[in-house]
Amino acid sequence: MGGSQRRPQDRAQRRGAARVRAHARGGPDALEVITDTSSPNPRRPEPAGVSAVLALVLAVIGFFALAVFGLGALSIATDADIIAIPGLGQGPGVFGMLLGLLAFAVTLGAALRSRHPSFASAPIVALATALAHLAGVWLGVLVGSSDLVIATAVAGGLVSGGASLVLLGAAVVAAWSGIALRRTRAQHPRWPWEGDDEE
């Protein structure tokens, strides 16, 4: 034939591939060796990844789910209520969880503002969350019972009974996951021929 024709699959092989042509002696045909170097396209912008808001929302939801599951499992394993003082109701526990969620969202949100947040922020977020929960329960019991000794005893029971440790672990896992989502630079799948220049 008069000219070489481009095969349809050549367009899919052009991007990120290095071509080396070797001609056999005395033969008109060329042997084409294609080595895929997987080099990024400099003209394509870097993927934005997961936004800080989305990563924060998913992390908060994950923390709440892990905390509820962990506290429930702890209560079943120990056959005891998380707050064992009768007459206090659910108010102190709910208030403590709300303060814990707020502290988790605020501290993790501050860490996720960076495009490349550090995983070292996860234990800081977890510690702030556990302390906020502990302070919330203590304050809720103090308001409900008007007894400083009872409030301090309940807060101490959360630490010694393992509830604070459960919240600490849930916050570490959820914060680490949120930071990992923020750091990723994943993008939607593309066909090999997408983005090729038309000739």
Side-chain angles (χ1 to χ4, degrees):
M1 298 178 64
S4 61
Q5 297 181 351
R6 186 180 298 276
R7 294 173 297 175
Q9 60 268 30
D10 287 347
R11 295 190 60 195
Q13 296 172 343
R14 276 194 311 129
R15 291 180 59 250
R19 290 180 172 78
V20 179
R21 298 177 182 274
H23 295 270
R25 294 181 179 180
D29 297 330
L31 176 62
E32 183 176 354
V33 179
I34 300 177
T35 303
D36 189 4
T37 59
S38 302
S39 59
N41 190 347
R43 294 173 296 177
R44 183 181 303 165
E46 182 182 1
V50 178
S51 66
V53 175
L54 179 58
L56 178 61
V57 170
L58 293 177
V60 169
I61 294 174
F63 165 67
F64 181 75
L66 288 174
V68 171
F69 173 79
L71 293 177
L74 178 65
S75 179
I76 293 175
T78 58
D79 194 20
D81 295 332
I82 300 300
I83 300 178
I85 305 298
L88 293 178
Q90 301 295 327
V94 172
F95 185 65
M97 182 59 69
L98 289 177
L99 279 188
L101 282 171
L102 180 61
F104 180 85
V106 170
T107 52
L108 182 59
L112 293 179
R113 290 179 183 176
S114 172
R115 290 182 59 87
H116 299 281
S118 173
F119 286 110
S121 302
I124 299 175
V125 173
L127 183 60
T129 301
L131 291 177
H133 174 267
L134 198 63
V137 172
W138 181 86
L139 185 59
V141 174
L142 181 62
V143 172
S145 64
S146 300
D147 193 328
L148 183 61
V149 176
I150 293 179
T152 305
V154 169
L158 293 178
V159 176
S160 62
S164 294
L165 185 60
V166 168
L167 290 176
L168 190 69
V172 166
V173 173
W176 189 94
S177 301
I179 294 171
L181 286 174
R182 180 59 174 156
R183 288 170 60 98
T184 185
R185 290 295 176 261
Q187 60 179 337
H188 67 277
R190 299 173 63 91
W191 291 105
W193 57 81
E194 287 186 297
D196 285 350
D197 295 331
E198 295 295 335
E199 295 182 354

